Amino acid sequence: MTTVLRTGVVPDEVRANLLAALQVDPGITVTEGVLNFDGVPGRAYTATDDYGYVNDLIIDPVTSELIGERGTITTGVRRSDGVVNMLAPGTLLSHTATSYGWAEHLGDVPA
C-alpha cells in the first residue's frame, strides 16, 4: 500500500478506501499530529512487526495524501541467522517528507 501511496497519483476514492481499511485493521493505530521530516503535522497510521520495527505512514489530514514515513525500532532485531542487533528502543531508522507538485516543462521546479 505504501508503494501505491508514494506515487501521488492514486485517485481520491481509491486512497480513501485504502485509508479506511487501515483504520479498521486491529494491527494499526492512528495518531494525530505526528510530524514528517519537514515538521509538517499529519495523521500517522502505525504498524509494528514481530521484530519490533515500527512503521508510520504520515498522511495529510486534509488531502489524505502521503506526506512522509518514519521507521523506529522498539526492541533488538533478530536476523534470520539468529544474531540480535541491539538498538536502543525508540531508535529512529528512517524519516522522510514527501510533497507533490506539477511542472509545465522538464527542469522546472514543481509548484
Side-chain angles (χ1 to χ4, degrees):
M1 178 182 308
T2 305
T3 303
V4 171
L5 293 174
R6 279 187 201 125
T7 66
V9 295
V10 178
D12 292 343
E13 183 178 318
V14 174
R15 190 171 54 248
N17 287 334
L18 291 170
L19 296 175
L22 287 177
Q23 294 215 20
V24 297
D25 184 321
I28 303 290
T29 58
V30 180
T31 307
E32 300 292 338
V34 174
L35 304 179
N36 72 3
F37 187 73
D38 286 342
V40 177
R43 179 178 298 129
Y45 294 82
T46 305
T48 303
D49 69 15
D50 293 338
Y51 301 104
Y53 182 79
V54 180
N55 187 47
D56 297 313
L57 297 178
I58 306 170
I59 304 295
D60 183 304
V62 175
T63 66
S64 295
E65 292 180 333
L66 179 72
I67 60 170
E69 299 172 63
R70 182 175 62 183
T72 56
I73 195 74
T74 60
T75 62
V77 178
R78 184 173 302 282
R79 299 186 326 209
S80 59
D81 62 4
V83 174
V84 175
N85 297 319
M86 296 308 293
L87 298 171
T91 298
L92 182 64
L93 301 175
S94 63
H95 203 188
T96 67
T98 305
S99 60
Y100 306 93
W102 292 95
E104 292 295 325
H105 302 88
L106 184 63
D108 288 351
V109 175

